[in-house]
């Protein structure tokens, strides 16, 4: 199964379950060999898909590698991300997608190799996002980053999801450009 929820049409219902095969076939900035070797979550059958707007996870064997899979323009798109090393002192930082504020290393600069020839030449794009890629859970109150991490907003959850998806889409467009 693939995620059939069109981006841009918010839904607090989340996404439909994905299979390992769907996930591996979706990557646009990885070779087929890299996609075959990546660690896909073993708990796909137990995930609470209704609470997710995208699937994001960190490679347990390489904590500096993360992955994101979502739908863009009617097709499943996956990207491999690299987490930048943390430098300097701990401070509060806000995720660009879900607007959750984290202390310490809860927000990281994630970079993605661009798709195609540009990526083969070493070009990347980056964004500051929740290091655990649990943005959907923070929006829905299923996970907390601590007191004061989420601001009370005047917009609905659907509108917050739409805003987050727009940010993810913009990043994916930069990866694909």
């Amino acid at each position: 199964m693939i995620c059939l929820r069109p981006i841009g049409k918010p839904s607090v219902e989340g996404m439909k379950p994905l299979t390992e095969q769907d996930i591996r076939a979706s990557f646009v900035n990885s070779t087929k060999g890299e996609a075959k070797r990546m660690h896909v979550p073993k708990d796909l059958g137990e995930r609470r898909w209704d609470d997710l707007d995208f699937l994001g996870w960190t490679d347990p064997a390489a904590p500096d590698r993360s992955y994101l899979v979502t739908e863009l323009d009617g097709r499943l798109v996956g990207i491999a991300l690299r987490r930048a090393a943390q430098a300097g002192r701990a401070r509060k930082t806000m995720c660009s997608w879900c607007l959750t504020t984290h202390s310490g290393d809860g927000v990281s600069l994630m970079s993605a190799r661009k798709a195609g020839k540009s990526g083969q030449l070493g070009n990347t794009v980056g964004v500051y996002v929740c290091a655990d890629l649990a943005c959907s859970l923070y929006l829905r109150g299923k996970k907390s980053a601590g007191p004061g991490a989420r601001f009370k907003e005047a917009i609905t959850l659907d509108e917050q999801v739409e805003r987050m998806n727009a940010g993810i889409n913009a990043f994916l467009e930069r990866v694909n450009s």
Side-chain angles (χ1 to χ4, degrees), residues 152-165:
K152 183 170 175 73
E153 296 192 60
I155 61 175
T156 67
L157 178 57
D158 270 346
E159 291 168 324
Q160 292 175 53
V161 169
E162 183 175 12
R163 179 184 61 209
M164 179 183 67
N165 286 337

Side-chain angles (χ1 to χ4, degrees), residues 7-103:
I7 299 297
K9 295 197 178 195
S11 171
V12 293
E13 296 175 14
M15 62 190 300
K16 294 187 178 172
L18 303 175
T19 66
E20 183 176 338
Q21 181 180 354
D22 295 330
I23 292 167
R24 290 189 190 282
S26 72
F27 282 83
V28 297
N29 67 343
S30 301
T31 66
K32 288 183 182 187
E34 289 169 334
K36 185 177 179 180
R37 291 186 301 274
M38 74 178 53
H39 289 91
V40 174
K42 301 292 183 203
D43 65 346
L44 293 175
E46 293 123 42
R47 294 270 170 150
R48 297 193 61 191
W49 295 97
D50 289 346
D51 292 335
L52 300 177
D53 301 292
F54 63 89
L55 176 63
W57 74 97
T58 299
D59 187 330
D64 65 328
R65 285 191 215 145
S66 295
Y67 306 96
L68 179 142
V69 179
T70 192
E71 187 178 337
L72 179 67
D73 297 330
R75 70 183 181 105
L76 202 58
V77 175
I79 57 170
L81 300 159
R82 288 263 182 194
R83 182 178 176 177
Q86 296 294 338
R89 60 188 165 95
R91 61 177 175 232
K92 287 197 173 242
T93 313
M94 183 180 285
C95 172
S96 298
W97 292 340
C98 68
L99 305 185
T100 300
T101 303
H102 296 270
S103 295

